Amino acid sequence: MQKKNLKLLLFISFLSLTFPVLSQKVDSEQLLSHLRYLSSDELQGRKPLTTGNLEAQKYILEHYKSLALAEPIYPDFIQRFSFENRREKKTYEDAANLVAFIPGSESKKVIVITAHYDHVGVGRPDANGDSIYNGTDDNASGTAALMALADYFSKNRPKHAIMFAALDAEEMGLQGAKALVRDFPYPLDQIVVNINMDMISRNDKNEIYASGTYHNPQLRPILEQATAALSPTLKFGHDEPGTGREDWTQASDHGAFFEKKVPHIYFGVEDHEDYHRPSDEYKNIQEEFYINATNLILKCILALDDQLAD
């Protein structure tokens, strides 16, 4: 009897140790389903204020509303903003950032996770006659990951509060990110870090970059420890001043946070042959890489949530 009880206790202890590790993964089926829909021809490239962009908004909002812990910081989870596009000589009114908030269990400081859901819409046909710029990697991939991460943290409450911001009009000059920073609901010094995801679904070298540690060196050891021996390989760089196009510091929405001296980490891959082409379609992503990359980002967020001081 005593031996049986001892075996049972050992088994329970084993589960208590291994279950948190096993559970530190997003729902991969949900992740891929989000990506398929957001990058489908039905959404016509998600250019701001187009029908496809509005359908993407509805889809993301329905997901937010299904999450148990998610709170609307802005009315109905929507932050409206307007901006002028000088290239088109057009004013865009009522573009929309979609923002959900999960309160922290121990801190009122905020981790802000961002990804832009817009792309460039319908444009010049390619050699195959395809004129829909689906933007699967750029950046339905980051948006679908953001949705999957929101689902994860709604079931596994973080220590810090986490804001999930699906941003509009990145392709027109980071307009959504600028609007969010300009009208942020809390003092900016309440943000401990901005995590931005833009292009995370494919890489032939099985690598993904965490750009930003040049400016925030205190974050690198946390990320290195969290991702040791994980796949894909986490690389650092693309953030040194004076390196021109190799410097990604203001290449995506994290740039608006950088301008306000908010620490950031930008997860993304290097450009590929389908970048900003109609061929950036779901069939060209690497599903295993994408799932692994999203889970790697999750591990990084968990480590930052655990180790960053208020």
Side-chain angles (χ1 to χ4, degrees), residues 152-188:
Y152 176 89
F153 283 106
S154 73
K155 299 170 182 173
N156 301 272
R157 190 172 181 180
K159 293 181 179 180
H160 293 82
I162 299 185
M163 177 181 289
F164 298 89
L167 301 175
D168 204 357
E170 187 269 357
E171 299 287 1
M172 295 181 178
L174 318 186
Q175 298 297 336
K178 291 175 181 177
L180 180 64
V181 170
R182 186 169 59 244
D183 185 33
F184 201 75
Y186 306 108
L188 290 178

Side-chain angles (χ1 to χ4, degrees), residues 128-150:
N128 298 315
D130 187 357
S131 60
I132 299 174
Y133 288 67
N134 301 81
T136 303
D137 195 35
D138 184 16
N139 184 37
S141 67
T143 304
L146 181 143
M147 295 170 71
L149 290 167

Side-chain angles (χ1 to χ4, degrees), residues 116 119 137-139 141 170-171 198-209 238 244-248 251-252 254 266-277 279-280 284 286 289:
H116 75 91
H119 195 53
D137 195 35
D138 184 16
N139 184 37
S141 67
E170 187 269 357
E171 299 287 1
D198 193 348
M199 297 176 59
I200 62 170
S201 66
R202 55 185 289 191
N203 182 263
D204 291 339
K205 297 178 182 178
N206 197 39
E207 297 173 346
I208 189 167
Y209 275 84
H238 286 300
R245 292 174 63 88
E246 292 301 309
D247 182 1
W248 296 350
S252 183
H254 55 280
Y266 163 41
F267 290 99
V269 300
E270 293 182 320
D271 288 354
H272 46 73
E273 61 184 359
D274 300 314
Y275 172 70
H276 273 218
R277 294 182 179 180
S279 51
D280 184 8
N284 289 325
Q286 297 159 342
F289 174 88

Side-chain angles (χ1 to χ4, degrees), residues 209-228:
Y209 275 84
S211 174
T213 59
Y214 178 92
H215 302 282
N216 309 287
Q218 75 280 8
L219 302 180
R220 181 163 177 167
I222 299 174
L223 302 180
E224 287 178 327
Q225 183 179 12
T227 60

